[in-house]
Amino acid sequence: MSESIIRIAQEKKYLEIRTVNFRSYADDKHKTTDDRPFGGGPGMVLKVEPIVKAVEEIKKEFPQAKCIALSPQGQPFQQAQAVEWKQEEDIILLCGRYEGFDERIFDILKPIEVSIGDYVLTGGEIPAMVIIESITRLIPGVLGCEESFKEDSFADGLLDHPQYTRPPEFRGLAVPEVLLSGDHQKIKDWRRDKSLEKTKLKRQDLFDKQRESNE
Ligand code: SAH
């Protein structure tokens, strides 16, 4: 959180990140936040009391905060959500550990459950960073180049077009001539065609969705 875009966003006051340790909300002397699963089985489960308490305390200060729980069982995180959540003033990102959360945490706090993909990590911290970064780079002023995210993959439901920079030729591979032509309309059309072509080739699912939404 202290590198690159996220660091700059914090320095410029576009973003403030506070971390809260569930342990601070555990009542016993060992500050226990996990316990063995009822019914047996391996690993530990995050306890309901400290987490509910932590979120309720945070909500006193930020009553409107959107509560998001990182979980491999959540809906897959998508660019559209980053765009939507950019509008939020305050977001609580609940990071799990061990075998995950006591299920009652979901019943009580009713967070939006979000997954960053069909694989299992050790904790929710890296998924939380993924979400923070994807939202932060959309905040106007954060990226050096204001327009750049508008052309990224997914912004218009398609993958980004191919990009080239100097040299114009390397190992016999030349940059497509149209990009050197200076003809803006032609370049725009070429990029759109390539964007469609790439999406169809690499992500048929996105391509079909795009076609449906155009029908
Ligand atoms: N036993 C759980 C996984 C626990 S992994 C299960 O199978 O559903 C421990 C924690 O890591 C989770 O509570 C969650 O906060 C985080 N985590 C792991 N993989 C994740 C993913 N793909 N997306 C979002 N969070 C994830």
Side-chain angles (χ1 to χ4, degrees), residues 177-194:
E177 221 158 280
V178 56
L179 297 178
L180 312 173
S181 70
D183 184 332
H184 295 302
Q185 189 55 47
K186 256 195 182 154
I187 293 173
K188 207 172 148 201
D189 294 344
W190 180 88
R191 286 182 163 164
R192 176 81 189 164
D193 286 349
K194 288 291 166 188

Side-chain angles (χ1 to χ4, degrees), residues 35-45 99:
D35 208 337
R36 284 168 303 163
F38 277 128
M44 300 296 268
V45 175
E99 296 304 313

Side-chain angles (χ1 to χ4, degrees), residues 96-108:
R97 276 263 154 179
Y98 318 115
E99 296 304 313
F101 302 101
D102 184 308
E103 196 66 20
R104 290 167 293 184
I105 288 167
F106 300 110
D107 301 330
I108 297 169

Side-chain angles (χ1 to χ4, degrees), residues 158-162 190-204 207:
L158 296 174
L159 301 180
D160 199 3
H161 54 77
W190 180 88
R191 286 182 163 164
R192 176 81 189 164
D193 286 349
K194 288 291 166 188
S195 204
L196 282 163
E197 197 180 300
K198 254 191 159 189
T199 311
K200 184 159 170 44
L201 198 69
K202 296 183 176 179
R203 289 290 302 271
Q204 184 75 43
F207 184 79

